[in-house]
Amino acid sequence: MKYVLRGRIYATICDDRKLPLSRSVVRLYRFEAKDATRLVAAQAKEVFQFLEEKDIKAKQKRLLAETTTDAQGNYSFEIDGDKKKYKGEAVEVDVYYPEIPDYGQEDTDKPRNYKAFQATLDVIQARWKETNEGLLGQWNYTLSRKWWCALLRRLDIWVICGTLLDCESGQPQAGVEVIAMDDDVISDDTLGSAITDASGKFCIFYRSKDFKKTFLSPFINIETPIFPLGNGPDIYFKFALGGSIFHEEDPSVARKPGRENVDNCLCVRLCIEGGQREPVSSFFHIGDARRYHIVLNINPADGRTANKAAASWNEQAFFSTLGLLGTLEKTLNGQPMEYKFQYTELASPTDPIPANPAAWKDVLKTDIANGTIIGFTPKFVTSPPPPHYDPDIYAINAQAGQIDVAFNGNWIVVPQTAQFLTGRLINLISGKLASGNVNMSTLTPGDSSTTVAPLQKNRYFSIRMIKRQAGNAASEAVAGTSRPLATFNTIYQNVPHGGSWAPGLTQSELGIASLDLDELVSGGGCSNITDSITVKYTATNPNLGNVSLAFSGPGATNNFDPIVFTTPGEEAHGTSHYLGSFGDLENCAYEIRLSAELNLTNGETQHDNIWDRVLFCR
């Protein structure tokens, strides 16, 4: 019997805010103590304990399974009950740290003399439920702030979490970069930064070496002054929009209680007088409808979308034309402004974004969709009646009725007309950054696409906006940089469709969905099927979601062998037999349809499912 235990693990931080325990090794152990019932009923604080190397080795023979949580803290264990001699009894759940995970601090170097350790989270008795997969159990867990901070301390990870509000109205301040500083005698250290979410919340992760810097760093790091020796940094904050600091606390705040010599977990509640006073030109989001924040809603581990309340909007790569949104002012430091976009390709989404300007390429005018409206000027007219507003519309690559926006090389010149109101920054044709074609005409449904061509992969691009005073190179400033974005625009050409029933080739799809029936292959495309249905299927895309078969007709049920994902998240192929009652099928026409979900978004909607179908007669 197979046992599957799934769930999600969180950690509690400030204001009961939960953070996912991401990218962490989780272990499941058989629990053999006689007082299992008491410990299952006990509170987590009675069970939690740290384990050192000797304790870890002593538990090794009881290990049932091991897995790693994803970016959202999800985990899944599978236990072969027969092989492990497990019958659903109580288990211990531990988290194991052979390395330093990236919880947001990015630096994963081990502290000096670091030794792998483990922590027991809880003892649980899952409530098993019978499913087609076997026995399924569900267990979610939230680590208390006390133990989360103790765990981070062992890892030399420091965190500042808080909320940013307007001092007068109390309204959350979203999209603001909060920069944590350590007030030091020799020079103030920048610990890290984060951008506030829609609720004004943020978390900044850093390491002790970020505040133990001296004039001899990185050779000698120690918090200054050396005498007396302090344990933690002294914190004050700066605030920025689009890379431009618009407000900062006085460094003396760092010497006040609650900010001086702080522990590795700090909770703060900050406010800005007058909120975000002056609009700042900057690049913030992708897409009008979904508004993916270029940092908060991009998973740094895989470049896909993340952290949206609508779960179906997450784990998507980007494709097609992308609306790049933000704020746009006519001037910069009182002078007319112009802006442009640049991009750089990375081999992996975890690679550092290059600082060298030579690594970036300009987005060209031809890379921007025709008719991209960047703004308009309201205009009241009386003719033809009745009186109404008929604005002047300013667009890149203007179409009929629009006013063409001027370019200075690759710089977009912001119109200087009165009452200029902004629309979007650009509509980027992402296929101009990365595209390609692969010919699948020789694919046989049921086989892997790799029999024809290698599995196609996402490509990763960071996109940034640069602004400047018109013609003034010295005033250039970065105004918003995205995390590396997973992007896919490869076109699959000549994919076999219709099987042996109505063979043909589809053109220009972003994935493969192809099927046939063995009975039609051997008997001919118009053969009647009498006693079996054997589906051959292939579905491919590096962002492949759900793949399913649907059987339509009198007496038909969607009862097939499970779809086999030979490369999870990228390809499913093989054979699936109809498991329903063949005697219930009437002498009639039937359709079997293969549907494949593509987890691709343009920031507005998700790509439609792709499909193939075969018809036959009973």
Side-chain angles (χ1 to χ4, degrees):
M1 176 66 71
K2 182 170 75 171
Y3 293 82
V4 179
L5 181 65
R6 292 175 181 157
R8 192 173 181 184
I9 303 177
Y10 302 89
T12 306
I13 196 67
C14 312
D15 300 323
D16 294 326
R17 182 182 180 187
K18 292 182 179 180
L19 299 175
L21 198 72
S22 59
R23 295 176 284 275
S24 300
V25 178
V26 185
R27 290 177 163 180
L28 204 63
Y29 291 91
R30 190 191 312 275
F31 189 73
E32 296 179 337
K34 295 180 180 179
D35 58 350
T37 302
R38 181 186 67 81
L39 286 176
V40 167
Q43 294 185 10
K45 65 181 181 180
E46 300 176 50
V47 179
F48 186 96
Q49 62 176 323
F50 286 111
L51 305 175
E52 308 305 333
E53 185 176 5
K54 180 178 70 174
D55 306 310
I56 297 171
K57 288 182 178 179
K59 294 180 70 170
Q60 183 63 33
K61 63 181 180 181
R62 295 195 279 122
L63 183 65
L64 292 171
E66 179 176 300
T67 190
T68 301
T69 58
D70 64 14
Q72 282 72 48
N74 297 301
Y75 71 87
S76 180
F77 289 111
E78 288 191 9
I79 306 170
D80 185 329
D82 296 331
K83 185 177 180 180
K84 293 288 187 178
K85 297 181 180 180
Y86 176 73
K87 297 181 180 179
E89 58 269 25
V91 291
E92 281 182 276
V93 185
D94 288 16
V95 60
Y96 175 51
Y97 290 97
E99 307 288 340
I100 307 298
D102 182 1
Y103 283 153
Q105 82 287 354
E106 296 184 359
D107 177 355
T108 57
D109 291 344
K110 295 178 182 177
R112 184 179 299 176
N113 300 322
Y114 179 82
K115 293 182 179 179
F117 69 96
Q118 194 161 303
T120 299
L121 300 182
D122 209 347
V123 176
I124 65 168
Q125 174 60 67
R127 295 181 178 178
W128 301 106
K129 180 175 65 175
E130 285 195 34
T131 70
N132 291 335
E133 299 179 72
L135 291 173
L136 177 65
Q138 186 81 18
W139 181 69
N140 297 324
Y141 179 80
T142 301
L143 190 63
S144 71
R145 183 178 185 274
K146 172 185 175 181
W147 293 119
W148 169 238
C149 293
L151 200 155
L152 292 180
R153 194 175 300 118
R154 291 281 300 258
L155 298 167
D156 183 35
I157 297 177
W158 297 60
V159 62
I160 301 168
C161 285
T163 304
L164 179 63
L165 307 171
D166 178 273
C167 295
E168 296 178 6
S169 69
Q171 291 299 309
Q173 298 295 288
V176 177
E177 183 182 10
V178 181
I179 305 165
M181 304 294 298
D182 172 33
D183 182 44
D184 220 341
V185 173
I186 296 175
S187 64
D188 291 358
D189 303 320
T190 300
L191 302 178
S193 68
I195 297 175
T196 57
D197 65 14
S199 302
K201 297 185 184 299
F202 66 92
C203 280
I204 300 169
F205 291 85
Y206 59 105
R207 306 296 298 278
S208 63
K209 66 183 180 182
D210 293 323
F211 61 87
K212 293 181 178 179
K213 297 174 183 175
T214 72
F215 60 93
L216 295 174
S217 294
F219 305 106
I220 298 178
N221 289 336
I222 191 168
E223 172 70 340
T224 53
I226 297 176
F227 304 104
L229 180 64
N231 294 323
D234 307 314
I235 304 294
Y236 70 98
F237 296 95
K238 298 181 180 181
F239 308 92
L241 282 170
S244 301
I245 293 174
F246 66 91
H247 180 70
E248 56 186 285
E249 294 181 331
D250 191 294
S252 63
V253 172
R255 301 298 174 179
K256 293 183 178 180
R259 294 286 194 89
E260 185 176 23
N261 193 22
V262 302
D263 201 351
N264 73 307
C265 284
L266 174 65
C267 296
V268 294
R269 196 170 182 84
L270 308 173
C271 75
I272 306 171
E273 293 287 350
Q276 303 165 24
R277 291 183 179 80
E278 182 181 349
V280 177
S281 299
S282 188
F283 165 43
F284 298 127
H285 295 100
I286 300 173
D288 260 322
R290 296 189 171 186
R291 290 192 174 264
Y292 292 111
H293 194 282
I294 59 175
V295 175
L296 299 175
N297 295 133
I298 305 299
N299 185 342
D302 61 19
R304 295 184 175 96
T305 58
N307 304 320
K308 279 291 188 180
S312 62
W313 291 11
N314 296 325
E315 299 182 17
Q316 310 264 308
F318 291 97
F319 83 108
S320 191
T321 299
L322 308 176
L324 307 188
L325 311 178
T327 55
L328 186 62
E329 293 297 300
K330 293 192 297 183
T331 61
L332 179 62
N333 300 325
Q335 300 298 314
M337 196 189 79
E338 55 191 18
Y339 68 100
K340 67 179 178 180
F341 277 84
Q342 295 183 319
Y343 63 93
T344 185
E345 183 168 9
L346 301 99
S348 165
T350 58
D351 288 349
I353 297 173
N356 182 3
W360 295 81
K361 297 180 180 179
D362 286 352
V363 170
L364 307 178
K365 186 177 182 181
T366 53
D367 300 334
I368 302 173
N370 291 340
T372 296
I373 299 172
I374 69 166
F376 59 93
T377 298
K379 184 176 65 175
F380 189 76
V381 296
T382 58
S383 180
H388 60 281
Y389 278 100
D390 185 17
D392 290 331
I393 298 173
Y394 293 85
I396 299 170
N397 302 320
Q399 304 297 287
Q402 300 175 337
I403 300 173
D404 200 38
V405 173
F407 272 67
N408 175 15
N410 295 323
W411 293 90
I412 303 166
V413 179
V414 180
Q416 297 298 301
T417 57
Q419 293 184 296
F420 178 75
L421 304 175
T422 62
R424 63 183 55 212
L425 301 171
I426 66 169
N427 284 333
L428 175 65
I429 306 171
S430 67
K432 293 291 187 78
L433 278 54
S435 61
N437 292 276
V438 57
N439 186 348
M440 303 306 299
S441 60
T442 60
L443 175 68
T444 299
D447 291 348
S448 170
S449 65
T450 58
T451 61
V452 179
L455 282 176
Q456 303 302 299
K457 300 293 184 180
N458 290 330
R459 292 171 67 178
Y460 304 97
F461 294 89
S462 178
I463 300 170
R464 72 181 186 182
M465 175 179 164
I466 308 290
K467 61 184 178 183
R468 71 178 185 182
Q469 297 172 14
N472 182 358
S475 65
E476 291 182 13
V478 176
T481 302
S482 77
R483 280 179 169 165
L485 310 174
T487 308
F488 189 78
N489 286 296
T490 300
I491 301 297
Y492 294 88
Q493 300 282 16
N494 303 318
V495 177
H497 262 223
S500 300
W501 162 65
L505 301 173
T506 62
Q507 302 295 318
S508 303
E509 286 194 332
L510 288 176
I512 296 172
S514 183
L515 88 161
D516 205 347
L517 304 184
D518 259 354
E519 291 77 8
L520 298 184
V521 173
S522 59
C526 294
S527 301
N528 287 346
I529 295 181
T530 58
D531 57 5
S532 67
I533 302 172
T534 310
V535 179
K536 297 287 191 180
Y537 61 89
T538 302
T540 309
N541 180 278
N543 308 284
L544 189 63
N546 183 53
V547 179
S548 61
L549 293 170
F551 188 15
S552 302
T557 62
N558 294 328
N559 193 2
F560 292 90
D561 288 329
I563 297 292
V564 177
F565 285 82
T566 48
T567 306
E570 295 186 79
E571 183 167 73
H573 73 86
T575 300
S576 180
H577 299 88
Y578 181 56
L579 303 178
S581 172
F582 211 87
D584 291 342
L585 303 181
E586 299 178 14
N587 293 333
C588 195
Y590 290 87
E591 178 193 71
I592 294 182
R593 181 180 291 251
L594 172 70
S595 179
E597 179 186 28
L598 303 186
N599 288 324
L600 295 171
T601 184
N602 56 7
E604 314 298 339
T605 61
Q606 182 171 335
H607 192 289
D608 292 336
N609 287 5
I610 58 175
W611 56 273
D612 189 14
R613 67 172 185 163
V614 168
L615 272 63
F616 67 90
C617 290
R618 168 80 158 94

